[in-house]
Amino acid sequence: MARSALLNVMVQAALKAGKSLARDFGEVQNLQVSVKGPSDFVSQADFRAERIVREELLKARPTYGFLGEESEEVIGTDGAHRWIVDPLDGTTNFLHGIPQFAVSIALERNGEIVAGVIFNPATDELFVAERGGGAFLNDRRIRTAARRVLSDAVIGCGVPHLGRGHHGKFLVELRHVMGEVAGVRRFGAAALDLAYVAAGRLDGFWETDLMPWDMAAGLVLIREAGGFASDIKGGNDIFISGTVAAGNEHIHKALVEVVNRPIPKA
Ligand code: IPD
Ligand code: CA
Ligand code: CA
């Protein structure tokens, strides 16, 4: 696949940060961990990875803005472009030695995500997409799965935990979804979950209480893989609402309907 200069910059930044994360993952027991909130851990690895990504991206495009999870937002002098970065998505997995985590880098242009890179250094899987150029996993074209009905579908989700999210609301959503599908999965790294939808591993995915850096790169991957992504109500307010629902045209539509079913009367 031919990559644009910008996508190359993103890939190089993701690979470099991924190398640092892979090294730290090997020594995960020795990491110094600080507590950010209940069950929300931030490791030194996380900060190191963000520093690497930030340096690489701002070196290549000094005028662009930068929104990263672990540092102050940089407002660029170029008002049109902004990097959106999660240096380590799947922190809880990382700290528990579970190899399901990733660096996620997206480029926003005039409010639209135009390129995305998601790299899991533990599996050496590099997902990339650029608007109009298709989506790829390690240079092989990927597409969303072709299954059309929920009864055949495996659906990913996020599960709220101590101090995070609406537990009761999630249980209602899950109750409705689990009654309709072939399987439900919770892998623990939203960026990778979205990349898995793009690659056809998951037929669909929904989650609430997410941040732009959890979703940005995954959105362009899914769309370039032929899929659909919206907020959980089926609208365009993904970042504002912090929610996402994704899948191919059929699964996306069905999933939005099911997760929004009203709470059954007792
Ligand atoms: C988290 C992961 C997780 C999702 C959480 C996110 P982090 O990101 O994406 O899958 O359920 O809501 O906050 O904290 O590991 O970067
Ligand atoms: Ca994240
Ligand atoms: Ca993170």
Side-chain angles (χ1 to χ4, degrees):
M1 63 169 287
R3 284 183 191 143
S4 72
L6 271 173
L7 197 60
N8 270 327
V9 165
M10 295 165 74
V11 168
Q12 287 322 310
L15 294 179
K16 198 166 172 189
K19 207 166 167 186
S20 163
L21 284 177
R23 232 186 346 257
D24 288 332
F25 188 60
E27 292 176 31
V28 79
Q29 261 83 342
N30 304 326
L31 284 177
Q32 289 190 338
V33 175
S34 68
V35 179
K36 201 160 80 169
S39 70
D40 189 1
F41 299 97
V42 173
S43 65
Q44 293 304 313
D46 210 342
F47 290 119
R48 254 194 294 279
E50 177 147 327
R51 205 175 317 124
I52 292 167
V53 173
R54 197 178 152 113
E55 273 171 20
E56 291 291 308
L57 296 179
L58 293 181
K59 188 170 71 190
R61 292 292 185 277
T63 59
Y64 287 15
F66 182 95
L67 174 68
E69 183 174 11
E70 306 300 343
S71 55
E72 279 283 298
E73 180 168 7
V74 176
I75 307 294
T77 50
D78 168 337
H81 292 93
R82 181 168 73 150
W83 303 110
I84 303 180
V85 172
D86 192 340
L88 171 55
D89 185 53
T91 319
T92 307
N93 284 343
F94 186 89
L95 287 171
H96 285 74
I98 300 168
Q100 182 73 4
F101 59 89
V103 183
S104 178
I105 302 175
L107 177 62
E108 188 185 59
R109 179 177 297 138
N110 298 318
E112 305 266 324
I113 306 300
V114 293
V117 170
I118 296 173
F119 176 51
N120 179 353
T123 57
D124 252 325
E125 288 189 312
L126 177 70
F127 299 86
V128 306
E130 214 168 356
R131 199 157 73 178
F136 298 83
L137 163 55
N138 292 349
D139 288 334
R140 282 186 39 218
R141 188 86 157 81
I142 51 174
R143 289 181 199 285
T144 48
R147 291 179 198 89
R148 285 170 167 247
V149 289
L150 282 181
S151 54
D152 291 335
V154 171
I155 303 293
C157 66
V159 180
H161 49 84
L162 182 62
R164 279 280 292 272
H166 305 280
H167 296 199
K169 194 168 161 288
F170 170 74
L171 286 173
V172 172
E173 292 166 6
L174 180 63
R175 180 173 159 187
H176 286 138
V177 172
M178 69 199 236
E180 303 273 347
V181 302
V184 179
R185 298 288 182 273
R186 193 312 189 230
F187 292 141
L192 278 178
D193 292 328
L194 293 170
Y196 280 21
V197 173
R201 292 175 177 173
L202 288 171
D203 297 287
F205 176 74
W206 94 98
E207 187 164 358
T208 62
D209 298 294
L210 290 175
M211 298 300 289
W213 47 76
D214 297 316
M215 303 182 279
L219 299 177
V220 64
L221 270 156
I222 287 176
R223 289 168 182 153
E224 287 301 318
F228 285 66
S230 68
D231 64 47
I232 205 161
K233 299 276 180 205
N236 292 325
D237 294 332
I238 297 178
F239 289 173
I240 293 165
S241 68
T243 70
V244 65
N248 69 24
E249 184 183 0
H250 308 278
I251 298 295
H252 171 257
K253 189 162 177 257
L255 187 59
V256 166
E257 188 272 309
V258 172
V259 295
N260 287 293
R261 275 187 197 156
I263 300 172
K265 294 222 165 63

